[in-house]
Each structure stands twice: as structure tokens, then as C-alpha cells.
Amino acid sequence: MNAYSYTLLIPLIPLFVFLLIGLTGHKYKPSISGLIGTAGLLVVTVLSYMTAISYFWTDHIAGTAYTSLKVFEIDWLHLTEFLTINLGILLDPISVMMLVVISTVSFMVHIYSLGYMKGEKGFARFYAFLSLFSFSMLGLVLATNIFQMYIFWELVGVSSYLLIGFYYTKPSAVSASKKAFIVTRFADLGFLIGILMLSFMTNTFDFQTLVSSDSPALSHMGGATFLGLSTLTWALTLVFIGGAGKSAMFPLHIWLPDAMEGPTPVSALIHAATMVVAGVYLVARLFPLYSMVAPDALVIVAWVGGISSLFAAIIACTQYDIKRVLAYSTMSQIGYMMLALGVSGYGGHDGLGFMASNWHLFTHAMFKALLFLGAGAIIHSVHSNDMREMGNLRKYLPITHLTFLIGCLTIAGIPPLSGFFSKDEILAAALHANPALFAIEYLVAGITAFYMFRLYFNVFWGKSTHYHHTPHESPLVMTIPLMVLAFGAVFSGFLPFNELVTSDGLPFEAHINYSVAIPSVLIAAFGILVAYMMYRKESLVPEKIATSLGAFYRGAYHKFYMDELYLFVTHKIIFRYISQPVAWFDRNIVDGTMNLIGYSIEKASYMIKGFQSGRVQQYGYVFVTGAVALVIIFVFIW
Amino acid sequence: MNILTLFVLIPVVTMLAIGFSKSMKSIRVVAAIGMGIQLILAAFLVYAYLTERAAGNTAEMLFTYDALWFPSLNIHYSIGVDGISVAMIALTAVVVFAGIFASWEVEYLSKEFFISLILLASGVFGFFISIDLFTMLLFYELAVIPMYLLIGIWGSGPKEYSAMKLTLMLMGGSALLMVGLLGIYFYSAPDGTPLTWNLLEISKNTIPIEMQRFLFPFTFIGFGILGALFPFHTWSPDGHASAPTAVSMLHAGVLMKLGGYGAFRVAIFLMPDAAQEQAWIFLLLTGTSVVYGAFGAIFQKDLKYINAYSSVSHCGLVLFAILMMNQTALNGAVIQMISHGLMTALFFALIGMIYGRTHTRLINEMGGLMKVMPFLSVVYVIAGLASLGLPGLSGFVAEMTIFIGSFQHTDSFHRMLTIIAAASIVITAVYILRVVATLLYGPIRNDHYNHLTDARWFEKLSTVTLLVCIAAIGIAPLWLSDMINFSLAPIVTKLSMATSSFVSIF
Amino acid sequence: MTGNIPLEYFLILSTIMFFTGIFGFLTRRNLITMLMSIELILNSVNINFVAFNHFLYPNNLQGHFFTLIIIAVAAAEAAVAIAIIINIYRNFKSIEVDKVNQMKY
Amino acid sequence: MNIYDFLIMRHELVLVIIALVVLIIDLGLKPAQKRHIIPVAVTLFIIHTIIGFLPSSGGILFGGMFHSSPLLVMMKNVLNIGVLIILLQSYSWLIKPENKEKMSEYFVIMFFTLTGMYFMISAGDFLMFYLGLETASIPIAALAAYMHHRTKSAEAGVKYILSSALSSGILLFGLSLIYGTTGSILFSDIAFSITDSPLQIFALIFFISGMAFKISLVPFQLWTADVYEGAPTNVTSYLSVISKGAASFVFMLILFKVFFPVMEVWRDILYTLSIATMIIGNLFALRQKNMKRFLAFSSIAQAGFILLGIMVGSKLGMTSVIYFILTYIFSNLGAFGVVSAIENASGKLSMDDYNGLYKTNPKLSLLMMLSVFSLAGIPPVAGFFGKFFLFTSAASAGLYWLVFIAILNATISLYYYLLVVKAMFINKNETPIPAFKTDLPARAGLILSALGIFILGFWSQVYEWINNLTVGIF
Amino acid sequence: MDSNILFFLLAGTILLFSVLTVTTRRILRAAVYLLFVLVSTAGLYFMLNYNFLAAVQLTVYAGGIVVLMIFSILLTSHISEKAKLAGMKQSLLSALTVVAGAILTIILLMNHQFTASSEPAVSPDVQNIGRHLVSYGENGYALPFEVISILLLAAMIGSIIVARKESLAANVKPTDENPEK
């Protein structure tokens, strides 16, 4: 037993809760399930905070590097002589940080859902799934080895699938869940192949071994190349593809907007705060390896992040579904994090990007969960997702309004809210490494502010809309989480991330880079201003602008036709040009051959029936001819 | 009495008891009791086996028993088990047990039904305990033939056609097989020593390479046909589609495993040199069938066809892994056999139960079943997740072991194939989710389905039994994997001694 | 008494007779004439046996006795065959061989 | 010649005596009492069968014309068992009014033909062989035409006698040439002087053709189906089982004893014939609807399998052939027994009439199923073992491809055997053959065959017993 | 008479009438031609000194079988009736096979070197034959002699059951099966 053995409870409690509710949930009142789930998460949250406090502060000797601790490990499956899949718990700065993020957001969502999901059919099921998700996510972040991560990675995917498809009678939800699972699974294939390659080269799955300074991967650096990239780069790029799928990076992002079909708390938890950042976490987890052996892969990471953030931000400006706007915003923000990792170096101040990425992950979890939950409160009160059907809600929903505004300001990067700090560090890191990417991100910062306030003004200001039922503020179970998260969004910027979560575990000196910060604040303010002008009051300006942008606007509005492209690939190519021919081939050629054999035998049987003519003379003829033929064959020819 | 003999004896006794049963109720109760005892026995066997091993018994086969049967041909009734067979026996016991309950309500000629079913089971048990090639073949064919009646009498759709096709193709397979086995027999011992059918003894002898080259394809394809080797798999979709529930379960769940088990136990084990040489051909075939089956499944509309094609894909993976011929892949192959056996049995059980209620198997005609039969639907989803390789369920363990194992080959041929095979997990996800989405989710498409009932106790028992096993393997695979691994070691040692001429071909 | 007729002459004679008999068997329409053809066949075999016995192996009488037995068997055969043919005639009102083909294929 | 020499011939002597006894008793019976001849004849035959199993030593009588050895005795015993079952199964057919006046003749002819087969088996020279052969075939023609008021029966008779006469003519021509080239008709002498000179090969081929007629090998098989269909069912089973079995034994014995110096030649010939027989037999059987015709073609295909064992020429081959014929006897008699029982009860013979039989006559259906499975070589019934050992023997000579073709053919044959099973178990029928009870003797016959089908395979002592008696060429 | 001429005469007769037997359209004539063939064959036997055999040939064949055939012809056909001829195709094919077979056989016969036995000859006189027929040792033919009697008995019984008209048969309606399609 070691000091951290209680961390074992962190994933196990949600698992137990899941099994409990899943197996017995239908036996008692739904609300009890909710309470059980919430209570479980409360314990988890407390334990997570205990862990964080002890790890970062109480047990830590100041000035030394944070080391990674393997507090628990069992053999799960023996594969080869060297490769064993273990299940265990690894504590290091990023995993502990993730514990905090996940438990906080999850706990809030649990509480929030008590109100939001009240009366829904399948309330117990919802909590069971939430617990399953929490278990999987916690297992993922605590993974000691890449294969354990992959295991929980898949579990997270399936919980996401189940939660997106929570309203299973709704066809759109069903197809969204399907899409989410399949797209991420496609990406996971890359992950899996990456693991195969990596594990084959290094003979280990273990993170500590992989990322150590004498990593077995190092010996393969000069190894074989394929299309100009070394095998290791390929492996790590493939691993990144897995991460990109989960984190909805371009072009594997298409599932994320659709995933908003799930209940809003789910979107907050999974598709904003926790699961979607798993990709970032994955890259961060292997970061030393990336930076040591495959810097080329990091370039890819950076560019994918950059492009995704810009791409998503543009689309976000054109969407009317508030959850979709938030979804694209999420994608955009994750792009930031990826980019930060991609441009980061290793160790000391070079690792600024790494730190910024994690920091942004943290703050983003807070404010994005806040925004989603706020959006949920809005939807809850007006029964619609479409911002065109909203307006002037600030009167009806004061608490929601206020917290939502905080969220918007945070994401826009207005100081001294947390988003400002983390985004600033990212921009600083990008500027340092790659000015082009910096320019993109700088632009995105402005767009972000614009679309968030477009949303904000449209919903809370703008036209006065008549509602069938007067919207009313949500109950306390829903507003308290909003407030808690708003608190987090405001203050998490003051956490000393540069001391806690760094690439090499050692603290380094970080400060606000005013040459970056001031312009970014300015562009954010500019974005807000534009939004204010366009959407503060109902006007025709947005429409005019949209018209003047023409094709570009339509493209953005249609998400640049990515969905259509995917539909084309899946339905036309895979379904019609692969699957259908395969099925046809199987029925007609393969099976047909078998039937043909049978048919020819039958046919032959009919063809030779004339020999059995019933005429004894013919029999005699065949007899004699047969004998003579045998003579000819065996006497004369043989 | 040797514990293994009981595995054949209990079914026989059960069949007799059923034969003397009068009412339908007593028939099925007798069947359930018999197979229940069998299940307990299987569990005990696993326990006993592990204890023996833990006690340090390193014999290749445990619980052996040997009786001379036909002295002049040196045919023995020779039985014994290693970890692999123990696992397969346990699988069989579980599936048969579940199958009995899945067919609880067979009314038409129920006595005959249960007798045939148990006859089939006894063939399978016999096959797995056999060490002697002759008895192996005997039990193999014994297991195949009741299929004809089971499908023909109690099946649905074009049952006569399917039953005939299935039987003939499988018997065609055993034609190849018999040639292979006979050839093995006549080269089973060095000149001057008596020939033998005993697997273990044959394995000590090296069959001349020319003969191996000749016999290996016979043996492998012979077993492969039952293992749904592309392009000899077409009996499988039609056969499964027409078969009654329990038969599909047993067939896909257990009988198809005879193919994989045999291909590995006989073809590869006894003729490693030829296997090394010719593996690439069959790897291409099986690699194809993994992807091909999955793509084929996407397009199907009939639940059973979907599952049948899925079986083609999954069983293709078994043969694929077997042909990789290293310890990890072989281990994966065995786990995959068990895993696929359990989940495909579960699938077929569920399909049968759903069909029994909706009277259609076309997914387009159904929808929203989750609402009316939550239990069955949830189990279906879990089975689907197992099939697409979700961690925590058995499919994942098997597939990952196979992929890791296959990837241990250092040449790009094997690796590319591995990657292609791995790609099947995505395609699998596509068709599984498609089914789940169309069948279980969405609005109810037919009003009349609103009145359907959920699973009854025996159906629950049947599905839960399978489900528990799937989850047990998925959550704690280590005991199973280690049990198999231990038994694989001598086989792999023999394989590695085989001259690898693979490289020379490429 | 045989002079210098070579064995081969007998053999050729019997061979031609044999195949003539077969030809008859294959082409005659009447069941009784088919039976006659059979007798030709048997007769040719007899000539063979006798010729061989006489020319090559006069040291025993195997060929001779074989012939004797064949003649007896031929008689038995003819008796049964004729009985059946008469029966055919009763049933079919004809002894045309082509009429006797109720069972075929 | 002394009393012990007669003991060596006890099969033949006892059987002739039985036949004569039956004939004499029959003379003394009034028409109304004629039916009592059946139990007498059957009982006598049972006694004869039992006597046959008494231990006997071998010996050579009549200057080498008559051989006996434990092997030959066993072959005769095998035939006896088959005949016994047939006699039992014939009961309900024989007591029909139209057969009433010629019951004893049925037995007498059967016994005489069986005697012919004994002599054929025991023959030490071609003269006895020929005589046995004719004794075993000519009277059967009369049996085939037994129901002479039926056109089909008459037709069967005439087809059989004519074809048989032609074949024995050809066979004799071959024999005459063998005599001419080797100078003897004694097997032992011929074996010394036979060579592979073209004329001898020619003679061999004619000999094989003649035997092929009896075993119904392609292309000498065309009579089979018609005769089987037309003859009374029990005669058909006699023809298809006993006559064919005996001919196969003899064929094998002569090839082994006489023609072994030219084994290379006849192995190739049999190879060809075997493949042709299996394929053609199967192809014809596929389409058949008449059960007897169907079984006829199936028995043709089975004959092709028998060749597999014969052409090996080894002890293993001989053992497996005898064993196979034993299993074949039981399986085929099981099938014919059911066909005959149904024909006697309902007059129905078409496979379509069998639809839904299981509903009304489950036991008969089960027996039929077992029989056809046994014929198809499906475990656990005897046919599987029989076929498997045949294949083993062929494989022992390295004839793997032949084995493969044979098993493929077995698979094709499974198709049509399954058609029977399908008819009985799967097909629906508005008017199935009504349930009926078979009479006691027939049931005894059916049970005997069922027992044989079941026990032969598992009871390996039978195989070993045969194996102890057989000899190979080498 | 020169035996050569005798042989050729007999052989010629045999061949001629053999062919006529199988080609004539009148059945009764065929029987008569057959008789000629059989008698000529007996002549051959005489020529070769097998007097006993020749006698048997004459009595059994000519006297027995042919007479039987003639009776049955009379029973079943009209004397004036002309037999139909086989179809052209059938005749041609049969002729082809038969001619091929004959030629092959003759070629083989001519090419074979027959070696005569050098042992002393046994005279085929009636005493010898009689002794052989009843002896059961070496070169004894008692067994075939007995067995042929079984055959003849069986054939006789067989002929009777087939050919006789039973009292019952009149009462039993012939069950006429329809020919299978």
C-alpha cells in the first residue's frame, strides 16, 4: 500500500455506480438513481481534490521536479514475451490535473442533470451512462500505459455513443451517435496501428518507459523511412490521428456538431470539457516522445490544430443552433490546444506551449462546461435550440444570463478572466515557434469573440420574442453548477500552471507577454464590438453581410460541405461501390459457383439419362463397346 | 471413469432420457438438466485443469485416457485435453446450455429436436477431447450431420436448400479433410515403426516435406470450410439464415470453431513446414475474408445474414491468426474462437427471440424495439459492442491479441495484412451500429409491435449466461489467456523449428 | 485327322463367330433371335476351348470338359430364357425387344 | 475322400440338403398348407447359418477345384446373414395370395443360387467358378420374373437373363483365351504362367467385363436399374446385396489369387472403372424417384467404392472390402427392408409417397434414415467405418487423388440420400402412407439390420476378426 | 476326305450360317440356320476327334435347345412373320464395334506365340471321359458334374414358376404399373 492507493477508488466508484444503477435502476424511483450517481461523483470529486492537493502541494518537495508515480498496477493480459497489458494508475501533473477537471465538471453535470433531466424517460439510464463515462474517462487519464489508454479510449467512445443516442427514438440522435462512433473508431484504427508499430519497436506499452530519457524508441530513430518520414514519425502520427478523431480535429470533426443531439449536460461534460480533450491529453502524455523522436509529427499536430481552429471558428459564425455554435467553438478551442502542443518544445521555457495547452485545457473545461450548461438552461426554458427563436432572455433568466456572459467573456479572452491567460500563453508560444500559425490564431481569437457575442446578443438581447410559455429561470440544482463553474472560469486563470504542469515537471518562469496580450485583447474587443453592432438590436446587417460574402458564407453555413463529402464517401463509395458489389459478388459469383456446381451435376444427370434407355440391346452395345474400349485403352494405348 | 468420457456420455444419456420422456415439459427439463450437468462438469474441468497445472503438471495433455479400438489400424479411443481444448469445451458447454433455453418453446417434434441438438453437441464435445485423428474425424462428421435435420425440419425460409447446401459443402470439406488425415496417418511414423493416429505421437515425427506440401492444403481447406474460409464460406449465410435459433447458435458458436481448432491442431501442428510455406496463400484468403465478410454484412438486410457475414469476417480472423503462427497470434485465435462463439451465439439467440415476436428478420421492417423489449435490446446492444471489439467484452481481448501477435512478423506482407485485418474493426462498427440504429432505435415502425412482450425467464437465462461469459473474458482475460498460452508453448516450439521458407517465396 | 490346319484358323473362325453373335445380339429385334445370338457366342467359346485343348494342351481334358459344361449351362440358360420370353409374350403380346422398355432413365 | 472332407464342404452340402428338404416337404403340402413352408425354410436356414459359424479348417478338394479356408467360410457366413435377413423380410410378400403357389420355389431357388455363390467363392479353377457364377445368376432371372403377371417383373427377368448371358459369353471368351495362353484352368497353375502379354491382358479385360457385369460397374451396369426396379423387392435386395457381395468377393479373390502377377494392369483398369462407376452411378441416382431404382443406382455407386479396396491388393484392402461389404449388406438390407415393408403395406414405391412418413411410421423412417446414412458413410453408423477403411486402404497405396474423388462422390451421394431423409422428415404430405405394423419376421429382419448398422462400427472385433483371416497379395 | 478341305467346308458353313442367323428376317429360318451352325460345329469336334463332345453338341444343342427355340417361336410368332430390322444407326454402330473388336482380337491372336504342352496327350475317348467325370481327384470332374445338376434343377424350377399358368393367376388381377415417365 502506498499513500495514493485510495486513488484506485476514483475510477472504481463510478464503475460500481454504473453497475448498480444499470442493473437495478429500474427497480426504484428514478430520482434515487440520480442521487446515487451524484453521491458517487461527490466522493470521486473529493478524492480527486485530495489527490491533487497531496500531489501538487503536500507531498511535493518544493523545487524538485514532479515525478510520475505508478501507484497501482496489475497484469491484465500477457501478449508476447515482452508485451503485457497492464491496468494501473499513473499519477503525474497532467493526470492529476485531468482528475480535477473531470471530477469537477462531471460532478457539476451530475448535479445539473438532476434538474435538467428531471422527468425524462430513462433518467436512471442517463445516470448509469454518466457514471460509465466518468469511469472510462478517469481510467483513461490514469492509464499507466498506452494500451490501457486505448482500452478506456474505446470505452469513452462507447459512453459517448450511448449518451449521444440517449434519445434513441429520435432518428437524428441515433444517426448522430452512429456517426460519432464510426468516425472516432476510424480514427482509433490509426491509434491502434500506431500502438502496434510503437509497441513492436519499443517492446513496451508503458508510458514511463516510453517517455523516459532512455526510451527504447530512441534506438529506432534512424530506422526505416516511409514516404520520407521515419517509422517512428509514422507511428506517432497515427497515434495522433486517434487523438484527432476524439478531439474532433479537421477533417475528423464532423461528428462533433451532430453529437449535440445528445442531452445538453452530456454535451457539456463529454463534448466540451472532457472527452474531446482526450486527444490533447494523449499527445501531451506522449509529448516527450514526440518531441524527442518525432518532431515532424508535432508539426503535423500544430497545423492540424491551427487549421481546425480557424475552420471551426468560421463555421461557428454562421450557425443558428446554439449548441452547434458551442460545438464549433469547442473544436476551435481544442485546435488551440493542439497547436500549442505542436509548437511546444521540451523542458523549461521551451515547454511553454505544453503548459499553455494544458492550462487552456483546464480553463476551457470550466468555461465551456459553463457555456454548455448555460445553453442547456436556455434550451430548458424556451424548448428550442435555434437562436432565431430566442431573444431578450436576459430578463427571464438573470442567473443564466450573468454566468453565460462570464463564459463568453472568458472564451473571448478578456482579462482577467482565465481564458485570457491561457490563450495568451498559447499565442505567445505560437509566435515564438511559427508566426504563420500565430497569425491564424490571432485571427481566430477575434472570430471567437465575434461569434460568441453573436450568440450572446442574439439570445439575451436582440429582438423581443414571444414565447408560448414564459421562460423562467431554472431551479437551483441547475444554477448552482453554473455559478460554480463561473467561479472556476473566472479564477482558474490564477492557478500557477507554470509551476505545476510543465513538460519536464520542473517549474519555469512565465509572465504575460504584453506584445501578444494587448493586441489579442484588442482583437477580441473588436470582435465583441462587431457583434454588438450587428446583433444588439434586430437588424438586417447580418443578412446583408451574409449576402455580400456569397459563396463563402453559404459554404460556411453548410459547414463547408464536409458532411456531404462524408455522406458521399460512406453512402456512395462504401455502401454502393464496395459493400453492394461485395454482397453481389458473394451471392452471384461465390455462391453462384457453388450453385453452378450443383446445377451442372444435376444437368449432367439429365444429359446422360439417355444411356439408361430401357433397351437391353443398347445396354449390350454399351457393354461390348465398353469392353472393346478397355481393350483399346489398356492393350493398345497403355 | 475418465472425466472427459463423461462429456460424451452425458449427452448420450440425456438423449436416451429424452427419448423416454413423454410430455414436452419433461423433454425440455431433461435436456436442460443434462446440459446443466454438462455445464457444471465443464466448469469443474476448467477448475481441475487449472489446479493440475498449478500443481506443476506439465504434460502436454491432461486427463488422458487411451483404449485400443481397432488394433490392426492402431486406432485408439484416445482422449485428453490441454488448455485450448478445455477452453473450447467450456465454450461448448455454455453455448449448448444457452441453446437449450433459447429453444425452450420448440413445440414441433420437440423430442426429436432436442435429441438432434444434443447429438450435435456430443459430436462437438467428442471432437474437442479427441487426440486420435480417427475419432476426431468421427466426431467431426457426427457433429455436422444433425445439422441437416435441424435446419431442414425446424428451419425457416428456403430451409431445404440451405440445409442441403450446408451439409454438402461441409461434407465436401470433410472429403478434403479425410484425404489429408489419411495421408498424415501413412506418414505418421518413421519407416519400420507402426503407424499411428495419435496427434501427439505424430507430432514427434516429421512428415516428409513433399507429403506435407500435398497434404497441408487438403487438411487446411478441409477444416477451413467449416471455419468459413473464403471462398468456401457460402454455406454459412444461407445455413444460418434458415436454421432455428439454437442451431444457429450452436453452429456459429461452436461448430464453426471445429474448423479453426482442427486447422490449428491438425494442419498446422502436424505439418508446420508446409504451413510455413503455404501460409501466404491462405493468409491472403483469410485476410480477404475478414474484410470481405464485414463489407458483405453492411449491405445485408436480414439480421441473420448480417450475423452470418459477420461470422465470416470473425472466423476469417481466427484462421488468419492461426496462419500467423506465433504464440501471441495463436493465443488470439483461440480467444477469438471463444469470444466469437459466445457472442455470435448470443446474437443468434437474440435474433431468434426477436424473430419469434416480430416474425420478420428484415431490419427495415423493424425499428424502435428498444422501447418494447428493452431487455432483449440492451443485450443486443451489448452483444453488438462485443462484436465490434469493445474493451471489457471478450471481442476486444481476442482482436487485440491477434493484431499484436500478427504484427510481430517483421516483413511487410504480414504487417500490411494485419493492418487490413485491423481495418475490419471499423467496418464492423459500421454494420453493427447500422443494425442497432435501425432495429432498436428510432420510432416504432409498426404499431403492432407495441404489444410485443419482452424476454421471458428462459430467454433471459439463455442470454445472460452468454453475456456473463463474454464479460468475464473481457474483464479478466488473464486466466484464459495464460491457460491457452501454456498449452501453446510446445506447439509454437514445434512451429519455430519448422524451416521457414516463407522469405524465399517473397 | 486334323491335317495341318493351324490353330489360328480355328481361333479366327471362333472370333468371327463370336462377334457375329454379338452383332446379332445387338441388332436382332426378336428376343428369341437374340437368344440364338447368345448361342452363337457360346458356341464360339466352345470352339476356342476345344481348339486350345486339342492343339496346345492335349495332356488333359480341361478344355473339353469346360465345353461340356458350357453346353449344359447353355441349355439351362436357354430354358430359363425361353420361359421368361414366353412370359414376356403373355405380358406384352409381343417379343419385340424394343417393346420391352417400360423401365428406363 | 472322407467325412472330414465333407465337413469342409458343409456350407454347400447343408444348403443343398435344405433346398431339397424344402422341395420335398412342399410336395407333400396341400395348397392351403403351403404357407407353413416359410417357417420351416427359415428355421432350416437359421440352423444352416449357425452351422456355418462352427469353426472349420481349410482344405482343398477335388484336385484343386474346391478350396476352403477360414476366410472363404467367413465370406459365406457373411452372405448367410444377409440371406437370412432377406428371408425374414420376404415373409409378408410371400404370403400374398398371388405368390402362394410358389413359395417353396422361392426358397429353393434362393438356396440353389446361394449354393452357386458358395461354389463360386470356393472355386479353385475357372470351371467351377463359371459354373458357380451361372448357378448364381440363371435362376435369379427366374426369381426376377417371379411375379410373372406383372409386366415389369417379366421385363426385369428378360433383361437380366439376356444381359447375363451376354456377359457370361464375353467372360467365357476371356476365360477361353486364358486357358489357351496358360494351358490350365486351375487358378494355381494360371498364376504361375500368366504374363502381361497383350492377349492375356485382352483376356483379363474380358474377364473383368464379365465380373463387372455382376458387380454392376460402369459401363457394364446398365441392366442394374431396370432389373432392380422390376424384380420383386426382396429379389432386388438379394441381387443388390448378396449377389453383388459374392461377386465382389470372388472378383477380389481371383484378382488376388490368379492375376496378381499383372496387378499393375488391373489396378489401372479398376482405377478407371471405379471413377466412372462412382460418378455415373451418382449422376443417375440423383434424379430417381422410384425407391428401388434409386437404391439400384446407389448400389452402383457403392460398387465403385468397393473397387478402391480391391485395387490395392493388400491385406488391408481385402479386409476393408469384406468389412465394407458386411456393412453394406446391413445398410442396404435396412433400406430395402423398409422399402419392401412399405411396398407390401401400401404398394407405394415412389419417393414422393414417402413424404411425411415420419409422422405416421417413425420407426421405419428412423431405420431408413440410419440405413441411408450408413450407405452415405456418416458416423456413427457402420457405413462410416466401412467407407473409411476402404479409403484408408486406398490411401495406403498412395492413391490419394482417387480417394479424394471417391469422397467427393460420397458427398454427392449424400445429396440424394438426404433427399430420402428430406422426404420422410421434412416434406409435408396431405396423405402420407398410413401407419401400419410390420409382421414379426419382417420386424426381426429390420431389427437385425438396424443392429448391424449400429454395432458393426463400434464393435471393432468384427473388423479384427476379418483382418485375422484375410491375406494380401504381398 | 482331306481334312483341310473338310475344315474349310465346315468353317465356311459356320461363318455363312452364323451371319445368316443374325441377319435373316425370318425367325424360323434363323433357327434353322443356327441349327446348321451347331451341326457344323459338331462336325468340327468330330474332326478334332472329340466324338463325345460332338455327340453332346448334337443332342443337347441341336436336339434340345434349337427345338426348344423353334417351339417357342411357333408359340410366339407367326411363321410368315418377318422380323423388323434394327435401325440404321444401331446396325452401323454395332457393326463398327463388332468389326473393331473382331479385328483387334484377331490381331492379338495372331501376334501371340502359343506354346503347346509337351506332356503326353490324353485321348478324349469315352472311357477316359467317363473316368474323369466320376473321379474327384486330380483332373476329376465329379464336382462340376454334380453342380451342373443343381443348376439344371434350379433352372428347371425357375422355368416352371415363370412359365406355368397358375390357377390363381387367373383370379389375381394383373396390377399393371404405369410406365414411369
Side-chain angles (χ1 to χ4, degrees), chain A residues 76-80 151 154-155 158 161 168-169 174 181 185 189 193 200 579-580 585-587 590-591 595, chain B residues 161 165 231 233-234 238 292 295 298-299 309 328 370 388 391 408 415 425 437 441-442 474-475 477 481-482:
Chain A
W76 189 67
L77 187 61
H78 297 147
L79 291 173
T80 68
I151 290 173
E154 293 292 319
L155 284 176
V158 83
Y161 165 76
Y168 61 81
T169 48
V174 173
F181 195 92
R185 190 133 240 256
L189 176 63
I193 297 170
F200 179 77
S579 188
Q580 193 174 358
F585 178 82
D586 196 68
R587 284 286 92 189
V590 180
D591 199 27
N595 286 340
Chain B
Y161 165 78
K165 181 152 120 186
H233 63 273
T234 68
D238 290 330
Y292 174 92
F295 272 123
I298 292 183
F299 194 71
Y309 277 102
T328 312
M370 181 71 92
L388 57 73
Q408 299 299 313
R415 291 193 161 177
I425 62 171
Y441 295 163
I475 291 169
S481 166
D482 279 0

Side-chain angles (χ1 to χ4, degrees), chain E residues 72-123:
Chain E
S72 60
I73 290 169
L74 293 177
L75 210 63
T76 56
S77 335
H78 300 286
I79 299 173
S80 59
E81 195 179 351
K82 283 189 177 177
K84 289 193 200 106
L85 288 178
M88 202 60 176
K89 197 172 138 203
Q90 188 183 352
S91 309
L92 275 180
L93 284 175
S94 307
L96 195 70
T97 303
V98 162
V99 169
I103 291 171
L104 291 180
T105 317
I106 290 170
I107 291 173
L108 290 173
L109 283 171
M110 299 309 285
N111 285 338
H112 191 85
Q113 289 296 321
F114 290 102
T115 45
S117 162
S118 51
E119 287 172 44
V122 178
S123 158

Side-chain angles (χ1 to χ4, degrees), chain A residues 136-408:
Chain A
S136 323
M137 195 65 210
L138 292 165
L140 191 156
V141 298
L142 292 172
T144 59
N145 61 71
I146 195 163
F147 216 101
Q148 183 186 356
M149 194 151 178
Y150 182 73
I151 290 173
F152 286 99
W153 191 269
E154 293 292 319
L155 284 176
V156 165
V158 83
S159 350
S160 156
Y161 165 76
L162 292 170
L163 283 165
I164 296 171
F166 180 75
Y167 299 115
Y168 61 81
T169 48
K170 206 163 111 190
S172 58
V174 173
S175 72
S177 64
K178 201 165 83 178
K179 191 171 172 184
F181 195 92
I182 291 170
V183 172
T184 49
R185 190 133 240 256
F186 178 72
D188 294 349
L189 176 63
F191 189 9
L192 176 62
I193 297 170
I195 294 177
L196 289 180
M197 293 170 71
L198 203 57
S199 64
F200 179 77
M201 284 185 280
T202 61
N203 266 328
T204 181
F205 294 129
D206 192 70
F207 282 133
Q208 284 175 318
T209 319
L210 276 175
V211 302
S212 64
S213 54
D214 54 350
S215 164
L218 287 170
S219 59
H220 290 272
M221 275 190 62
T225 58
F226 181 64
L227 296 181
L229 297 176
S230 77
T231 324
L232 267 175
T233 310
W234 273 106
L236 287 169
T237 308
L238 285 166
V239 169
F240 167 67
I241 287 177
K246 211 56 123 196
S247 289
M249 290 290 98
F250 178 85
L252 296 168
H253 65 277
I254 47 147
W255 61 272
L256 184 61
D258 289 7
M260 298 302 131
E261 291 290 345
T264 309
V266 167
S267 310
L269 174 61
I270 301 183
H271 307 120
T274 54
M275 184 190 85
V276 285
V277 298
V280 179
Y281 180 76
L282 172 64
V283 178
R285 169 60 71 219
L286 289 171
F287 185 74
L289 194 60
Y290 274 96
S291 115
M292 274 188 292
V293 301
D296 293 347
L298 276 184
V299 175
I300 297 172
V301 172
W303 276 100
V304 168
I307 292 170
S308 303
S309 68
L310 178 63
F311 181 83
I314 292 171
I315 296 176
C317 296
T318 61
Q319 301 299 310
Y320 289 103
D321 184 320
I322 56 174
K323 286 181 71 183
R324 280 181 188 250
V325 172
L326 290 176
Y328 280 110
S329 147
T330 305
M331 177 182 164
S332 175
Q333 297 299 314
I334 296 169
Y336 268 109
M337 302 173 208
M338 283 291 186
L339 177 135
L341 285 173
V343 297
S344 175
Y346 182 75
H349 196 275
D350 288 343
L352 177 65
F354 178 86
M355 182 277 281
S357 173
N358 282 299
W359 198 358
H360 197 60
L361 192 161
F362 190 90
T363 58
H364 173 258
M366 297 302 159
F367 63 69
K368 192 46 72 56
L370 167 62
L371 285 169
F372 263 110
L373 292 185
I378 297 163
I379 295 166
H380 193 62
S381 58
V382 300
H383 303 291
S384 169
N385 282 3
D386 195 330
M387 65 169 86
R388 282 168 297 194
E389 294 171 17
M390 302 171 190
N392 222 10
L393 281 174
R394 66 182 184 284
K395 289 183 228 153
Y396 306 108
L397 312 170
I399 302 173
T400 310
H401 171 227
L402 193 65
T403 51
F404 202 87
L405 178 61
I406 292 173
C408 287

Side-chain angles (χ1 to χ4, degrees), chain B residues 172-218:
Chain B
S174 89
L176 291 160
L177 181 59
M178 222 184 268
V179 176
L181 294 188
L182 287 172
I184 292 173
Y185 170 64
F186 285 107
Y187 289 89
S188 62
D191 278 344
T193 45
L195 302 172
T196 174
W197 296 93
N198 190 302
L199 262 176
L200 301 177
E201 283 171 37
I202 300 172
S203 74
K204 291 184 194 119
N205 176 41
T206 308
I207 298 171
I209 179 71
E210 308 79 46
M211 279 323 284
Q212 286 195 23
R213 281 190 193 122
F214 177 73
L215 296 173
F216 179 76
F218 277 100

